[in-house]
Amino acid sequence: MNKTRQGTSAMTLSTLIRISLFALCITASAADARDQVRIVGSSTVLPYARIVGETFGKVYPQFKTPLIESGGSSAGLKEFCKGVGPDTIDIANSSRPIRSGEASFCAENGVTGIEEFNFGYDGIVFATSAETAGFDLTIEQLYQALAKELLVDGELVANPYQRWSEIDPSLPDIRIDAFIPGEKHGTREVLEDRIMSVGCMKSGTLAAWAEKLDAEEAEDRCVEVRRDGRAIGIAGDYTETLQRIQSNPGALGVFGLSFYENNVRQLNVAAIDGVEPSAATVASGAYPVSRPLFFYVKQAHLNVIPGLREYVDFFFSEDMVGAYSPLTEYGLVPVSARERRDIRAALAAEDAGMTYQDTDGRPQAAPGKNE
């Protein structure tokens, strides 16, 4: 039995009564109290959701454009789990699966029908210009090249590496010059989660920080990027990054997968931990610098909040997430065409019935379904 079901079965009588009252009153009151879809969550999902939301408002003028806010995956799911009704949000955007503890918190507050929608994946690639010989890298090598401080000979010191060959003799004997997503860029979070955090742990640097700082502060220090000119944050789009590496022979740039695939002749891409980036390796999870993207919808709101079901259906339309759509042009690797069709068919049949995943990525029954 998973933790969510244990939490649900352990609910007090007063909680169960409150849930029943929610179920009785939401249909009668929600439409009158609110006529706009409300969404909160991941900053990574935010630009995708805004593209869909703004287009939705134009295509469906009978509905208000959804109100979409950021704040992060954890904050969005916490807000999502506060309850059911017109004063609570309808959707939580997330760059990770909902955790069992979060689902239990949802159930305690009456959110017992959660629909999970995995709409695609994001991934970043590391590449040199076509004029420069490419080289493959590991996550730990990338971390050693980019981190502000490292564990060297048992001591935490300012990053001493100036050339790739200083990190590993098998790497080219060229200066480290990296052009990475700026701090406000949507893919910066992928870099921090999949390279900086993982590399920090693998190198032993996280454990060293944990001896000096609390857990949150140690994690923050892990994702700090060096500021000595070897790693430059790019606030603009990937075209600017391409121009930078073309002007700096040997420089390494960070790009979205879609941009790389559209400019493959101008770039030499690096395999990371032995896996080359592609739509297939990103979608399968084999490529390590990628992750699935989700949004979670309250089952109880689907047929109550005006435009909510239509928004979800529109999100999975070919116009929004198919080949050459706005979301794929922005960098999304969408779920397969078959999965998109299945989701639209389930919505049309009023049986969205997705499942959420636990923290290890294992599918679990959606909380509150088939209880």
Side-chain angles (χ1 to χ4, degrees):
M1 179 180 291
N2 65 51
K3 291 182 181 178
T4 299
R5 292 186 181 278
Q6 289 175 339
T8 302
S9 61
M11 285 190 295
T12 64
L13 179 60
S14 62
T15 303
L16 290 171
I17 292 171
R18 179 161 46 87
I19 293 169
S20 298
L21 290 173
F22 267 130
L24 288 171
C25 73
I26 184 172
T27 302
S29 64
D32 292 334
R34 178 158 58 85
D35 60 356
Q36 184 179 33
V37 174
R38 291 181 57 202
I39 304 168
V40 178
S42 165
S43 59
T44 301
V45 176
L46 179 67
Y48 298 115
R50 280 188 171 164
I51 290 169
V52 176
E54 289 168 7
T55 310
F56 176 81
K58 296 173 183 176
V59 174
Y60 290 89
Q62 67 271 39
F63 300 120
K64 288 186 176 180
T65 299
L67 177 61
I68 306 172
E69 299 175 285
S70 185
S73 299
S74 296
L77 286 164
K78 181 179 180 180
E79 191 69 24
F80 180 83
C81 289
K82 285 184 176 179
V84 175
D87 295 329
T88 67
I89 66 170
D90 309 303
I91 294 176
N93 290 331
S94 183
S95 56
R96 59 168 174 79
I98 189 172
R99 295 168 180 151
S100 57
E102 290 167 330
S104 295
F105 179 60
C106 271
E108 291 168 5
N109 288 301
V111 187
T112 56
I114 301 174
E115 304 291 356
E116 177 184 85
F117 295 93
N118 170 208
F119 64 90
Y121 310 83
D122 68 347
I124 55 176
V125 306
F126 299 80
T128 57
S129 67
E131 292 73 30
T132 301
F135 52 97
D136 296 336
L137 293 159
T138 66
I139 287 176
E140 193 169 346
Q141 288 168 347
L142 279 165
Y143 174 72
Q144 290 173 307
L146 299 175
K148 181 179 179 180
E149 295 170 280
L150 294 169
L151 184 67
V152 179
D153 297 329
E155 298 291 332
L156 288 165
V157 299
N159 194 328
Y161 300 124
Q162 299 296 311
R163 305 180 75 82
W164 287 103
S165 57
E166 295 172 2
I167 295 173
D168 191 312
S170 68
L171 294 175
D173 185 26
I174 56 177
R175 191 176 69 178
I176 297 170
D177 284 307
F179 295 96
I180 65 174
E183 292 182 357
K184 295 184 179 181
H185 197 284
T187 53
R188 176 64 172 247
E189 193 176 335
V190 187
L191 180 75
E192 293 178 352
D193 288 351
R194 294 298 191 245
I195 296 295
M196 305 304 290
S197 292
V198 175
C200 189
M201 180 183 65
K202 286 186 174 183
S203 67
T205 307
L206 175 60
W209 280 124
E211 292 179 0
K212 300 174 178 290
L213 307 167
D214 65 34
E216 185 175 347
E217 289 175 321
E219 291 174 2
D220 288 343
R221 297 298 285 268
C222 276
V223 301
E224 288 186 349
V225 172
R226 64 195 303 178
R227 296 180 181 273
D228 58 355
R230 301 279 63 83
I232 306 297
I234 302 297
D237 60 20
Y238 295 126
T239 301
E240 181 181 347
T241 305
L242 178 60
Q243 292 170 348
R244 292 291 194 100
I245 67 169
Q246 288 174 334
S247 301
N248 294 270
L252 187 74
V254 178
F255 303 91
L257 178 67
S258 177
F259 184 89
Y260 159 66
E261 291 184 328
N262 289 326
N263 295 274
V264 67
R265 293 185 179 181
Q266 300 185 68
L267 296 166
N268 279 324
V269 72
I272 305 298
D273 285 355
V275 181
E276 292 191 5
S278 69
T281 58
V282 166
S284 70
Y287 181 66
V289 199
S290 63
R291 59 185 174 178
L293 301 176
F294 303 90
F295 61 86
Y296 292 87
V297 182
K298 289 174 184 171
Q299 207 176 68
H301 287 203
L302 266 177
N303 293 321
V304 177
I305 302 301
L308 178 57
R309 181 176 291 274
E310 290 81 1
Y311 169 84
V312 176
D313 183 74
F314 186 67
F315 204 116
F316 286 94
S317 69
E318 296 306 298
D319 287 341
M320 292 311 304
V321 78
Y324 308 109
S325 66
L327 298 194
T328 56
E329 290 295 323
Y330 191 83
L332 180 73
V333 178
V335 295
S336 69
R338 179 185 59 79
E339 290 174 287
R340 298 195 297 271
R341 287 195 301 270
D342 288 348
I343 289 169
R344 291 196 299 270
L347 283 164
E350 298 192 358
D351 184 27
M354 302 297 105
T355 58
Y356 82 97
Q357 297 175 323
D358 66 14
T359 51
D360 296 319
R362 295 185 297 266
Q364 301 287 347
K369 292 181 70 66
N370 303 319
E371 290 292 342

